[in-house]
Amino acid sequence: MSGLIIAIDGPAAAGKGTLARRLAKHFNLPYLDTGLLYRATGRRVLDHGGDPRDVATAEHAARTLLPVDLERGDLRGPEADKAASAVASIPGVRAALLEFQRDFGAKNGAVLDGRDIGTQVFPNARVKLFVTASAEARGKRRYAELLARGIAADLAEVTDEIIARDEADRNRSAAPLVPAADAITLDTTALDADAAFMTALKMVEHTLS
Ligand code: CDP
């Protein structure tokens, strides 16, 4: 399906990444986890002892981001989550990362997941999914992911952190987390990864038919 853009947005730990990867494989499209751009920008600020909320420092980190930064091993976990969310609220950071995302999809199409793919990055995407789940389900999933990565965590803290980050992402003025008017919502609260994929695939095929 060369040229097809599938935009997947939604709150933290809703299962966007797993779903996006599987849809990309199915349609033979490249996949971009756009959260990594914000995570890597936040990490670059922290590397130099900076504050991710500092506009000039964060914008400089975003403008000088290199593809290799996305391969760092420390882009997950509570510190990276908070730094990503902080830099993501800065309009100049978002502007600096926009071109890379558009270029990624421009040539052969792509599946991209994030918060503003269907609203800002590819507002004309042919397929837009808004993937969500209850905060409780998302907290449990993120907790299990952290344990699987060997990162010590507390379920209540992880859930609270997710709720706080969603709140910040929803209420910021720059590209807030909001479903695009033409997005299809997929609630994965009661679905495992296979069921979420099968449901999403039907939605995508229906949109393309
Ligand atoms: O994996 P998880 O859903 O927890 O987060 P992520 O997709 O890696 O995104 C981390 C943070 O980056 C989010 O909380 C947002 O603040 C920001 N982000 C964004 O603003 N726009 C995007 N397109 C992707 C991520």
Side-chain angles (χ1 to χ4, degrees):
M1 275 269 181
S2 190
L4 175 67
I5 297 286
I6 300 181
I8 302 187
D9 291 304
K16 304 181 298 289
T18 308
L19 178 62
R21 221 170 267 116
R22 290 181 70 167
L23 286 173
K25 195 167 173 218
H26 181 87
F27 289 104
N28 197 21
L29 289 166
Y31 163 58
L32 180 64
D33 171 357
T34 66
L36 288 183
L37 300 171
Y38 296 92
R39 291 174 177 277
T41 300
R43 268 290 173 215
R44 286 189 60 138
V45 175
L46 295 176
D47 282 346
H48 301 104
D51 180 345
R53 292 167 302 182
D54 182 72
V55 172
T57 314
E59 285 181 356
H60 180 260
R63 280 198 295 266
T64 53
L65 200 68
L66 298 170
V68 67
D69 292 317
L70 306 184
E71 286 159 30
R72 298 174 59 139
D74 58 359
L75 298 181
R76 304 275 166 200
E79 198 185 21
D81 292 346
K82 280 198 196 77
S85 183
V87 299
S89 71
I90 300 170
V93 166
R94 307 198 70 86
L97 300 176
L98 191 57
E99 196 179 311
F100 178 85
Q101 297 172 76
R102 289 196 173 143
D103 283 351
F104 185 90
K107 207 168 159 226
N108 300 313
V111 181
L112 302 96
D113 80 69
R115 302 292 184 286
D116 63 339
I117 308 304
T119 53
Q120 308 283 335
V121 182
F122 284 105
N124 296 324
R126 185 127 176 246
V127 182
K128 297 181 187 178
L129 298 181
F130 192 82
V131 180
T132 186
S134 71
E136 194 192 1
R138 293 185 292 117
K140 279 190 190 149
R141 285 180 201 159
R142 182 51 45 91
Y143 173 71
E145 268 170 42
L146 289 169
L147 291 196
R149 286 172 195 268
I151 302 174
D154 174 84
L155 176 59
E157 264 174 37
V158 169
T159 308
D160 287 349
E161 190 275 333
I162 279 177
I163 292 170
R165 192 149 53 90
D166 288 347
E167 185 105 332
D169 288 345
R170 279 199 185 97
N171 292 319
R172 69 188 178 206
S173 51
L177 167 65
V178 60
D182 52 350
I184 310 168
T185 296
L186 171 58
D187 187 329
T188 67
T189 305
L191 305 178
D192 65 14
D194 284 344
F197 172 65
M198 292 313 293
T199 310
L201 188 56
K202 279 192 202 129
M203 289 171 163
V204 176
E205 281 171 344
H206 180 74
T207 305
L208 295 177
S209 65

